[in-house]
């Protein structure tokens, strides 16, 4: 057997999981609070800032744009806002690392700055499509260039005009890039979505004092209004909690409680799917922090049933589909997903790499052009390559918990992108 690399992890099967936990701060919300804080006037104090590498990339890019940021520890981030139009020209390309959210949201802001900048990222990010932000930002008046529409992206920013944009693929990142550019543009900027995506930007903008008009799937901002620095709290990340919700749903006798987790309804579609799969799911909303509901999620195993995910459900479940595939490998379960070709444009090709990895663990899985099918049954255990993708590490770990023998996840260190303590938490939940 080949020797394990330092980046590989062996996952032992688990009879069941049990316990109470909290998750790291929400990645999507952390990015947005940091970016808006940089554009605001005055100081913003963020508590519960996400601990993963992606949100560190956002802070590093902001520092390179002249923003003063202190991190005294324990998830506390203090940002001195530079005001709309106050960012300084960077002296080198801005590196978003693995983070598509950093890249696309920051592109919206840079498109409005009166200086040239270049955004780049790691090997994975440099393979991801950027035409989706280039087109609306050009329509607003910025000059952007990327070979083959892939990073690096050069931006010559300047005066922007408001636009009405209907993204061809539902994407909160695209919506947010356009709205952030719209903060600096003349007149109104409107995004018309074809399906609802996470609305953290809209909520965060309101919190920082911007008038956001929302009508069904349409959102409008008007440029030129200053943002005001403030104290904000980031809830626990629902997409991280999803790993434990799904692991608890999967194995007999499991019962997990996740406290202080974000319960924004644009993120929690997974809970209905878990109920359809047979699990017992209860939620309680404890409070709202900066218009983001925070609550407690309890999931317990019951006999599993096959589930079909319809294309219309995909936008609200996009980050949870790999973990749901892991659930599909358990006895009694099965999963069919269609209408999810967008998964091929994530941190990895999440259809090809997911199916290959689950097969490596002994599962019955097949690719579809726009999704996959998984047939439940006891997984033998084996080896799965995470393809540098944090969400695949978690999905393979959850599938491996139900295997007959230990499994190896290659490149498991990718989990640090969103959940550095994932494997420590897993150990603590083994009953
Ligand atoms: C995110 C939006 C989604 C999601 C990503 C985070 C965000 O991407 O998959 O993990 O924070 O706006 P898309 O906008 O590409 O769908």
């Amino acid at each position: 057997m080949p020797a394990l690399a330092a980046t590989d992890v062996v996952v032992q099967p688990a009879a069941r999981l049990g316990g109470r936990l909290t998750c790291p701060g929400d990645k999507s919300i952390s990015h947005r609070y940091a970016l808006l804080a940089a554009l605001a006037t005055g100081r913003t104090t963020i508590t519960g800032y996400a601990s993963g590498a992606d949100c560190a990339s956002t802070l590093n890019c902001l520092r390179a744009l002249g923003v003063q940021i202190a991190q005294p520890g324990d998830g506390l981030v203090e940002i001195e806002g530079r005001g709309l139009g106050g960012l300084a020209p960077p002296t080198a390309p801005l590196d978003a690392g693995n983070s598509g959210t950093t890249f696309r949201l920051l592109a919206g802001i840079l498109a409005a700055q009166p200086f040239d900048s270049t955004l780049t990222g790691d090997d994975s990010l440099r393979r991801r499509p950027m035409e989706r932000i280039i087109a609306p930002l050009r329509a607003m008046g910025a000059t952007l260039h990327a070979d083959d529409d892939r990073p690096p992206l050069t931006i010559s920013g300047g005066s922007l005009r408001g636009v009405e944009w209907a993204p061809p693929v539902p994407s909160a990142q695209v919506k947010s890039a356009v709205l952030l550019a719209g903060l600096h543009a003349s007149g109104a900027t409107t995004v018309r979505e074809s399906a609802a995506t996470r609305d953290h930007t809209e909520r965060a903008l309101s919190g920082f004092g911007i008038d956001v008009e929302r009508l069904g799937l349409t959102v409008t901002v008007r440029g030129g209004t200053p943002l005001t620095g403030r104290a904000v709290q980031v809830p626990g990340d629902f997409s991280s909690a999803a790993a434990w919700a799904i692991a608890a749903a999967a194995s007999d006798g499991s019962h997990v409680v996740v406290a202080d987790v974000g319960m924004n309804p644009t993120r929690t579609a997974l809970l209905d799917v878990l109920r359809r799969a047979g699990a017992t799911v209860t939620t309680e909303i404890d409070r709202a922090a900066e218009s983001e509901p925070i609550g407690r999620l309890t999931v317990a195993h019951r006999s599993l049933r096959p589930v079909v995910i319809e294309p219309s459900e995909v936008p609200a479940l996009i980050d949870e589909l790999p973990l749901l595939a892991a659930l599909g490998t358990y006895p009694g379960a099965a999963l069919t997903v269609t209408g999810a070709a967008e998964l091929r444009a994530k941190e990895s090709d999440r259809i090809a790499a997911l199916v290959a990895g689950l097969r490596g663990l002994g599962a019955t899985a097949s690719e579809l052009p726009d999704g996959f099918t998984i047939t439940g049954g006891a997984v033998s255990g084996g080896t799965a390559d995470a393809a540098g993708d944090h969400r695949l590490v978690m999905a393979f770990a959850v599938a491996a918990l139900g295997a007959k023998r230990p499994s190896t996840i290659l490149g498991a260190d990718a989990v640090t992108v969103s959940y550095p303590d994932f494997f420590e938490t897993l150990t603590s939940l083994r009953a």
Side-chain angles (χ1 to χ4, degrees), residues 26-28 30-31 49-50 52-60 99 102 417:
D26 187 282
K27 187 159 82 73
S28 290
S30 295
H31 288 301
Y49 193 79
D54 268 12
C55 291
S57 292
T58 291
L59 296 184
N60 289 340
S99 175
T102 305
V417 156

Side-chain angles (χ1 to χ4, degrees), residues 1 8 106 123 206-207 211 216 258 298 342 355 370 390:
M1 196 186 272
D8 302 340
L106 199 51
D123 290 348
S206 300
D211 204 5
V258 189
T298 306
E342 183 62 11
V355 166
D370 62 345
H390 59 125

Side-chain angles (χ1 to χ4, degrees), residues 52-420:
D54 268 12
C55 291
S57 292
T58 291
L59 296 184
N60 289 340
C61 288
L62 289 174
R63 285 190 175 106
L65 291 161
V67 182
Q68 268 187 37
I69 302 176
Q71 290 178 275
D74 208 19
L76 188 60
V77 177
E78 293 161 354
I79 300 184
E80 301 298 335
R82 293 185 62 110
L84 273 186
L87 296 177
T91 54
L94 297 161
D95 186 357
N98 192 244
S99 175
T101 308
T102 305
F103 191 105
R104 293 188 175 124
L105 271 57
L106 199 51
I109 294 171
L110 293 171
Q113 309 304 315
F115 52 74
D116 294 351
S117 55
T118 300
L119 266 169
T120 191
D122 69 5
D123 290 348
S124 150
L125 190 53
R126 279 188 275 115
R127 284 192 294 268
R128 296 181 67 184
M130 295 301 160
E131 203 276 332
R132 55 187 65 193
I133 50 162
I134 292 174
L137 297 176
R138 274 189 188 145
M140 297 178 82
T143 303
L144 303 99
H145 176 78
D147 286 339
D148 194 27
D149 291 327
R150 307 282 195 270
L153 172 69
T154 56
I155 304 175
S156 295
S159 301
L160 300 182
R161 52 186 173 270
V163 75
E164 247 194 71
W165 195 255
V169 177
S171 163
Q173 291 176 354
V174 173
K175 171 176 64 177
S176 303
V178 175
L179 293 175
L180 291 174
L183 294 180
H184 305 77
S186 59
T189 294
T190 297
V191 179
R192 288 185 199 289
E193 296 195 279
S194 58
T197 62
R198 62 192 69 192
D199 67 354
H200 303 305
T201 298
E202 295 88 314
R203 289 171 184 251
L205 283 171
S206 300
F208 279 77
I210 298 293
D211 204 5
V212 180
E213 278 174 43
R214 301 180 66 178
L215 203 61
L217 293 175
T218 299
V219 51
T220 300
V221 295
R222 283 183 172 71
T225 312
L227 292 82
T228 312
R230 50 184 303 137
V232 288
Q233 187 197 342
V234 180
D237 197 322
F238 182 85
S239 297
S240 300
W244 314 122
I246 287 175
S251 49
D252 205 2
S254 293
H255 183 274
V256 166
V257 181
V258 189
D260 297 332
V261 63
M263 287 287 183
N264 179 319
T266 61
R267 292 285 295 283
T268 55
L270 168 72
L271 303 179
D272 286 332
V273 180
L274 289 181
R275 290 186 182 107
R276 263 151 58 194
T280 302
V281 178
T282 55
T283 58
E284 279 168 70
I285 305 294
D286 297 327
R287 61 189 191 283
E290 301 317 307
S291 5
E292 290 283 354
I294 299 187
R296 193 165 355 141
L297 167 62
T298 306
V299 180
H301 170 85
R302 297 284 177 273
S303 297
L304 292 172
R305 297 188 286 261
V307 169
V308 175
I309 305 293
E310 302 294 341
S312 60
E313 298 181 274
V314 165
L317 285 171
I318 191 78
D319 287 345
E320 284 68 61
L321 291 174
L323 281 162
L324 273 173
L327 181 66
T329 65
Y330 277 75
L335 185 73
T336 302
V337 175
T338 54
E342 183 62 11
L343 285 176
R344 296 195 187 273
K346 293 292 180 185
E347 285 85 327
S348 68
D349 176 341
R350 280 190 187 155
I351 296 178
L354 176 69
V355 166
L358 290 177
R359 281 188 179 163
L361 297 176
T364 306
S366 314
E367 276 191 52
L368 302 171
D370 62 345
F372 49 82
T373 58
I374 316 284
T375 311
V379 163
S380 56
T383 300
D385 184 345
D389 187 332
H390 59 125
R391 302 224 184 269
L392 295 191
V393 178
M394 294 186 259
F396 295 150
V398 169
L401 290 173
K404 295 201 178 72
R405 59 183 167 88
S407 299
T408 304
I409 303 176
L410 306 178
D413 58 322
V415 82
T416 55
V417 156
S418 64
Y419 203 159

